[in-house]
């Protein structure tokens, strides 16, 4: 925490001349998340969210507002993807953050250039912040594993490898898309237990999964694993991730090789990358494992990671049905859950991923797996909330759900709060279900 105490960009007394940033629930000056946006009439370019505005990194370069390492980093972050900045690592990212924070702080030199370097976020279009190279999805939410496992294996929901291996599968990078993209209900092979044979048609059990997305910064050469003490240097930031899931397609296809078409039709990410620097005040000790669980094997165990590798992030899932929108009623909150339920740290995921020599690359995306707690109201997907489709979920307006119906909006939000520090948010990850074609 000493790092946090001495970082002026995290100083809770620091305010911004961008008035909307002060007290902003998502993007105060202590956050400064990175993204790619297009202003009205302009092309995609790198930006930083500040209050209700977006700071145009390339425009600030053009105004001569950067020098030294911050200038080099700003040039890498000015284009239509942030891969080069992610690749440049934490020193470059920190230099840019420090310079932008100073420019936007009350009394900062950026104010004289406000008309050139700031855009009204509401008038801008968000773009994918990163060209995703690979997408790997983990399974680190143990309560998700227990609740989902009970549906198929009531007596043995957690397989013996789970407490040793940060279980994952290779998912599909090409269909990772931005929050707000249209989502068509996928078609696929489905077979209910009472059906004699499978049929091909629209997914009947469409679901979301709330996850934390992890953006990889500098990669590793093939054959050279990342030791766990080095793993934080390879993590460039975090977004919200919706791993849309077709449960009926998934359950029919997954034996024996795992998820495929039940997952690969699309996953959504939120547009802003919250950096490790902004999250520093919200690190926490990884919660102790339950009595009787084995310790992680030595290559996955690091004292500093155990002491600071957890994350204090509160996630929320909302549904806004077509009927709610038509009647003008607000979205219904389905669940809320804290990231402390994750059984593995993100450093353990990175180290495990590379422990056989597999190389990660800048712009790779890792998902934590569904973030779910043990209690009613903390489930991270409808499969858990509906107990495998058996129990109707009351939306509070007369509607119920087992799984998603066409027209449903699903919205994820997340915030970090700590007494004495300024709260930050991730923005939102949103998607609306459209009919199958
Ligand atoms: Ca998942």
């Amino acid at each position: 925490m000493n790092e946090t105490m001495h970082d002026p960009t995290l100083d809770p007394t620091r305010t911004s001349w961008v008035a909307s940033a002060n007290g902003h629930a998502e993007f105060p000056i202590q956050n400064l998340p990175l993204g790619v946006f297009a202003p009205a009439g302009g092309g995609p370019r790198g930006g930083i969210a500040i209050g209700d505005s977006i700071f145009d990194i390339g425009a600030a370069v053009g105004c001569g507002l950067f020098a030294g390492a911050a200038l080099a980093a700003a040039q890498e972050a000015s284009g239509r993807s942030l891969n080069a900045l992610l690749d440049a690592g934490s020193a470059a990212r920190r230099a840019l953050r420090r310079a932008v924070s100073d420019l936007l702080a009350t009394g900062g030199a950026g104010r004289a250039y406000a008309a050139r370097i700031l855009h009204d976020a509401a008038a801008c279009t968000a773009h994918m912040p990163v060209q995703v190279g690979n997408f790997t999805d983990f399974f680190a939410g143990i309560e998700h594993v227990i609740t989902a496992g009970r549906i198929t294996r009531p007596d043995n929901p957690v397989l013996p490898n789970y407490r040793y291996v940060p279980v994952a599968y290779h998912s599909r990078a090409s269909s990772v898309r931005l929050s707000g993209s249209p989502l068509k209900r996928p078609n696929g092979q489905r077979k209910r237990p009472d059906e004699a044979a499978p049929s091909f048609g629209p997914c009947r059990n469409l679901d979301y999964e709330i996850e934390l997305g992890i953006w990889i910064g500098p990669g590793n050469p093939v054959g050279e694993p990342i030791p766990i003490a080095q793993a934080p240097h390879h993590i460039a930031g975090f977004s919200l991730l919706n791993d849309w899931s077709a449960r009926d397609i998934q359950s029919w296809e997954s034996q024996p090789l795992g998820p495929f078409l039940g997952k690969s039709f699309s996953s959504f990410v939120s547009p802003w990358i919250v950096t490790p620097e902004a999250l520093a005040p919200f690190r926490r000790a990884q919660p102790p494992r339950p009595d009787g669980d084995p310790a992680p094997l030595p290559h996955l165990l690091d004292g500093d990671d155990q002491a600071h590798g957890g994350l204090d992030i509160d996630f929320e899932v909302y549904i806004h049905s077509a009927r709610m929108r038509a009647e003008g009623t607000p979205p219904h909150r389905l669940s809320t859950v804290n990231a402390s339920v994750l059984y593995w740290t993100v450093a353990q995921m990175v180290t495990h991923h590379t422990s056989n020599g597999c190389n990660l690359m800048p712009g790779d995306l890792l998902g934590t797996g569904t973030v779910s707690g043990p209690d009613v109201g903390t489930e991270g997907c409808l499969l858990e909330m509906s107990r495998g489709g058996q129990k109707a979920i009351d939306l509070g307006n007369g509607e119920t759900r087992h799984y998603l119906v066409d027209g449903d909006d699903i919205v994820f939000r997340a915030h970090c709060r700590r007494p004495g520090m300024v709260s930050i948010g991730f923005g939102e990850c949103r998607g609306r279900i459209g009919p199958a074609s």
Side-chain angles (χ1 to χ4, degrees), residues 181-398:
S181 300
L183 183 76
K184 260 188 209 176
R185 179 178 297 272
N187 289 307
Q189 286 197 27
R190 320 127 325 157
K191 182 188 169 304
R192 277 195 298 258
D194 62 341
E195 292 174 327
S199 58
F200 183 84
C203 167
R204 297 159 172 155
N205 299 342
L206 187 58
D207 201 355
Y208 60 82
E209 292 187 337
I210 186 161
E211 305 193 14
L212 183 65
I214 301 144
W215 295 106
I216 297 297
N220 59 302
V222 67
E224 295 185 21
I226 297 173
I228 190 158
Q230 295 300 314
H233 301 296
H234 296 268
I235 296 167
F238 303 87
S239 292
L240 296 171
L241 171 66
N242 186 343
D243 183 33
W244 298 108
S245 298
R247 298 300 183 194
D248 45 355
I249 298 170
Q250 182 186 356
S251 65
W252 172 238
E253 75 177 1
S254 287
Q255 305 301 329
L257 282 187
F260 186 47
L261 302 181
K263 296 285 192 175
S264 62
F265 56 96
S266 211
S267 303
F268 284 9
V269 290
S270 55
W272 295 107
I273 299 178
V274 178
T275 64
E277 292 70 52
L279 281 176
F282 311 104
R283 310 296 308 207
R284 58 190 291 168
Q286 176 68 355
R289 291 184 160 198
D291 287 347
D293 280 17
L297 293 180
H299 71 295
L300 296 176
L301 189 57
D302 176 79
D304 192 54
D305 184 48
Q306 291 296 304
H308 306 294
L311 288 164
D312 192 355
I313 303 173
D314 288 320
F315 298 93
E316 294 175 291
V317 181
Y318 292 86
I319 186 169
H320 206 199
S321 69
R323 180 169 145 192
M324 291 174 192
R325 297 194 303 273
E327 294 177 349
T329 52
H332 171 76
R333 191 168 78 178
L334 287 166
S335 64
T336 178
V337 61
N338 186 277
S340 63
V341 298
L342 294 171
Y343 194 76
W344 298 100
T345 68
V346 292
Q348 288 173 319
M349 295 177 209
V350 166
T351 292
H352 175 68
H353 202 309
T354 63
S355 62
N356 67 344
C358 174
N359 54 322
L360 294 176
M361 301 194 303
D364 281 359
L365 176 66
L366 312 184
T368 54
T370 309
V371 185
S372 295
D375 304 317
V376 170
T378 65
E379 303 94 336
C381 64
L382 295 179
L383 172 77
E384 294 176 55
M385 292 191 83
S386 71
R387 300 296 183 261
Q390 300 306 303
K391 176 173 163 280
I393 301 159
D394 183 355
L395 303 189
N397 66 338

Side-chain angles (χ1 to χ4, degrees), residues 15-298:
T15 55
S16 175
W17 53 262
V18 182
S20 65
N22 303 317
H24 198 276
E26 312 284 333
F27 309 129
I29 194 169
Q30 287 78 9
N31 193 349
L32 301 180
L34 298 153
V36 171
F37 74 102
R45 78 243 354 232
I48 292 177
I50 177 76
D52 294 333
S53 295
I54 301 177
F55 174 86
D56 187 327
I57 298 171
V61 170
C63 293
L65 294 176
F66 294 115
L71 174 59
Q75 288 167 332
E76 286 166 330
S78 299
R80 53 185 311 132
S81 93
L82 298 177
N83 292 62
L85 180 70
L86 269 50
D87 190 17
S90 64
R93 207 173 55 234
R94 285 169 191 271
L96 178 62
R97 173 182 172 84
R98 176 69 192 268
V100 172
S101 179
D102 289 347
L103 287 170
L104 294 174
T106 300
R111 182 164 202 164
Y113 301 86
R116 290 169 67 185
I117 62 175
L118 282 191
H119 302 272
D120 175 10
C124 296
T125 308
H127 286 257
M128 273 295 286
V130 173
Q131 187 173 352
V132 184
N134 294 277
F135 171 30
T136 303
D137 200 22
F138 281 83
F139 202 34
I142 191 168
E143 298 298 338
H144 172 69
V145 176
I146 292 170
T147 308
R150 272 190 189 129
I151 294 165
T152 47
R153 296 182 305 276
D155 301 327
N156 183 29
V158 183
L159 295 171
N161 62 351
Y162 185 82
R163 292 179 169 86
Y164 290 93
V165 177
V167 171
Y169 70 100
H170 288 297
S171 195
R172 188 77 191 164
S174 63
S175 53
V176 175
R177 293 185 296 155
L178 195 69
S179 165
S181 300
L183 183 76
K184 260 188 209 176
R185 179 178 297 272
N187 289 307
Q189 286 197 27
R190 320 127 325 157
K191 182 188 169 304
R192 277 195 298 258
D194 62 341
E195 292 174 327
S199 58
F200 183 84
C203 167
R204 297 159 172 155
N205 299 342
L206 187 58
D207 201 355
Y208 60 82
E209 292 187 337
I210 186 161
E211 305 193 14
L212 183 65
I214 301 144
W215 295 106
I216 297 297
N220 59 302
V222 67
E224 295 185 21
I226 297 173
I228 190 158
Q230 295 300 314
H233 301 296
H234 296 268
I235 296 167
F238 303 87
S239 292
L240 296 171
L241 171 66
N242 186 343
D243 183 33
W244 298 108
S245 298
R247 298 300 183 194
D248 45 355
I249 298 170
Q250 182 186 356
S251 65
W252 172 238
E253 75 177 1
S254 287
Q255 305 301 329
L257 282 187
F260 186 47
L261 302 181
K263 296 285 192 175
S264 62
F265 56 96
S266 211
S267 303
F268 284 9
V269 290
S270 55
W272 295 107
I273 299 178
V274 178
T275 64
E277 292 70 52
L279 281 176
F282 311 104
R283 310 296 308 207
R284 58 190 291 168
Q286 176 68 355
R289 291 184 160 198
D291 287 347
D293 280 17
L297 293 180

